[in-house]
Amino acid sequence: MTPAQRTTVSFLDLALIMTGVMAMIASVGDRHPAVAEALADSFGSSAPASAERVTLKLARLFEPQEARLTDQGVADITALGARARPGESKTVEIGIMVPVVAEKGASRLDRWELAAARTAAIMRVLADQGVADSAMVPDLARPGTGSAGSERDVTLTLRATAPRQ
């Protein structure tokens, strides 16, 4: 086999491997929590984790078309941050899911930038409450269409586990 043929075969092998990985990622779909839980069961601690979901209205947390938290939004996130502080008998991980939705009217940010900035605003308030960066898990993987219902909700998942040794 010539060097050019070997290079071609290596490239094709790499392309097939990457195609397989992309197919596996696409097959997960909206089963992110189930896949994450399965991975945690396989590789995580042996202590069972208890999870609590908190759903907050997007309009209550943020100013329209902005990533600035309202006073009520700061109060809500601050209360969650106080509950999420690690203790001697537990550690807490917070999953942060901000919807990626198009806002009505003109905005200086597109929908992905707005969702990312809103996630960062929530993380900043949680960090001010003493929640470690490693305990915050942002998730922008669920774009919405902008209609009513759960696509206008911010979901925070608090998962308490035994502290790592």
Side-chain angles (χ1 to χ4, degrees):
M1 196 184 283
T2 67
Q5 291 171 328
R6 254 190 313 252
T7 302
T8 302
V9 169
S10 294
F11 175 76
L12 291 174
D13 286 343
L14 178 64
L16 285 172
I17 289 169
M18 292 188 65
T19 302
V21 168
M22 295 304 290
M24 286 174 39
I25 290 171
S27 73
V28 170
D30 30 329
R31 296 178 302 168
H32 293 292
V35 171
E37 195 168 314
L39 286 173
D41 290 344
S42 298
F43 300 107
S45 66
S46 60
S50 61
E52 174 190 355
R53 275 200 163 166
V54 177
T55 304
L56 301 168
K57 294 290 180 198
L58 196 61
R60 176 183 167 115
L61 289 178
F62 294 100
E63 294 178 8
Q65 301 171 358
E66 286 295 330
R68 284 188 298 269
L69 287 161
T70 62
D71 292 338
Q72 184 62 48
V74 171
D76 290 347
I77 301 300
T78 299
L80 284 171
R83 290 176 31 203
R85 282 194 204 110
E88 293 177 14
S89 63
K90 69 172 183 161
T91 58
V92 177
E93 179 181 272
I94 301 178
I96 305 164
M97 187 172 44
V98 175
V100 180
V101 295
E103 295 286 333
K104 298 220 188 295
S107 177
R108 60 188 175 87
L109 302 171
D110 73 13
R111 64 190 192 123
W112 287 96
E113 292 170 330
L114 189 58
R118 287 175 170 174
T119 301
I122 291 171
M123 292 175 74
R124 191 172 22 254
V125 172
L126 290 171
D128 290 345
Q129 293 301 307
V131 177
D133 289 344
S134 61
M136 294 182 260
V137 182
D139 182 5
L140 294 177
R142 293 172 179 82
T145 60
S147 61
S150 64
E151 294 174 351
R152 292 294 197 185
D153 295 338
V154 173
T155 304
L156 300 159
T157 306
L158 285 72
R159 182 172 302 227
T161 60
R164 294 185 182 139
Q165 302 296 328

